[in-house]
Structure formats: C-alpha cells, structure tokens
Amino acid sequence: MKNLSLLVLNGPNLNMLGSREPGVYGRMTLSDIEKAVRHKALKLGVKVEFFQTNHEGELVERVQKTRGRKQVIILNAGAYTHTSIAIRDAIAAAETPTIEVHLSNVHAREPFRRHSMIADVCAGQITGFGADSYLLAMEAAIRLADR
Ligand code: DQA
C-alpha cells in the first residue's frame, strides 16, 4: 500500500524500559526502540508516529483517531492488554488493522498475562522477541496493508 503510515502505540510503564526489570524486558530504552523503528521505517518507506502514555483513555483516543486513515497500529498496551475492554472496543470500532506486540513472551510468564483482552480484535500477536517484536510487527504491517 502506498503512503502507509504506522502508529506505534505504547502503554503504561513502557517509558521505564531500560531500567525496568531488565532481565524480562532487556536494556533498550523506549527511545532506543523508537530509533530502531524509525531507521527501519525509513528503509521501508513508511511513515511512523510513535507515542507512549501511561493513561488508558489516551490510548483509546489515539486508536479512535486512526479511523478512516491509511494506518496500521502496532500496539504494546502493556498491562492494559490483560484488562482493558475499553481499548478492545476502540480497536474493534476503529476498524484499523492492529498488531499486538510484547517484548516478553506473555505466554511463558504468570497465568494472568496469558489472557489478552485485545488479541481477537487484532490481526495477530507478536510476543517474546524483545525490541525485535516491533520490527517484526512492521514487516507484518506492510504485508497486511498490501493484502
Ligand atoms: C508487556 C507484557 C505485559 O504483560 C506487561 O504488563 C507490560 C509489558 C511486554 O511488552 O512484554 O507492561 O506488554
């Protein structure tokens, strides 16, 4: 798809990456991840908007704003993945293809992380590849948009 733009949305506590449980999430900061994403986007010729918030309602609003645009959302909703019906409903209503991403493998951790409120309204889930989860999601996004 020409003029594809990606919205990379990050939820709560992802601003703490780098120092937050490095054994689980690695040493890269969110700004390191943003740089890697922008570098790849430049090579692939896609536009990227990158945004982080700790607030559920702000995630809902960002998802809502994509409606009717040529966008794919790459979403790491953090802990809201496991709890937020509001974010789930926003994704369903926006009709914007959304890829769920996680740095850690949520299926190999505590049982409460195995359930995702958003998985079935997303196009797919990429989980467990650290910062590479975002880069893999970008490739998936381009394929999705080309379908
Ligand atoms: C996470 C996994 C979630 O369970 C957790 O609450 C996060 C980060 C991840 O990227 O691995 O905040 O989404």
Side-chain angles (χ1 to χ4, degrees), residues 16-28 103-104:
M16 302 300 288
L17 288 178
S19 59
R20 175 192 181 194
E21 298 180 79
V24 177
Y25 298 114
R27 291 260 172 219
M28 277 175 90
L103 295 138
S104 63

Side-chain angles (χ1 to χ4, degrees), residues 53-71:
T53 176
N54 291 319
H55 305 280
E56 185 176 15
E58 227 174 328
L59 288 170
V60 167
E61 279 166 10
R62 283 295 179 133
V63 170
Q64 286 177 355
K65 280 190 193 146
T66 63
R67 195 182 160 83
R69 292 199 192 162
K70 262 192 196 165
Q71 274 190 326

Side-chain angles (χ1 to χ4, degrees), residues 92-104:
E95 292 175 356
T96 306
T98 300
I99 301 170
E100 176 183 348
V101 303
H102 301 284
L103 295 138
S104 63

Side-chain angles (χ1 to χ4, degrees), residues 27-58:
R27 291 260 172 219
M28 277 175 90
T29 63
L30 193 59
S31 143
D32 294 334
I33 294 175
E34 177 173 358
K35 269 185 216 138
V37 163
R38 290 197 182 281
H39 182 73
K40 190 173 174 83
L42 208 62
K43 281 208 232 158
L44 296 172
V46 296
K47 279 206 292 187
V48 175
E49 205 182 323
F50 203 95
F51 182 75
Q52 188 274 333
T53 176
N54 291 319
H55 305 280
E56 185 176 15
E58 227 174 328

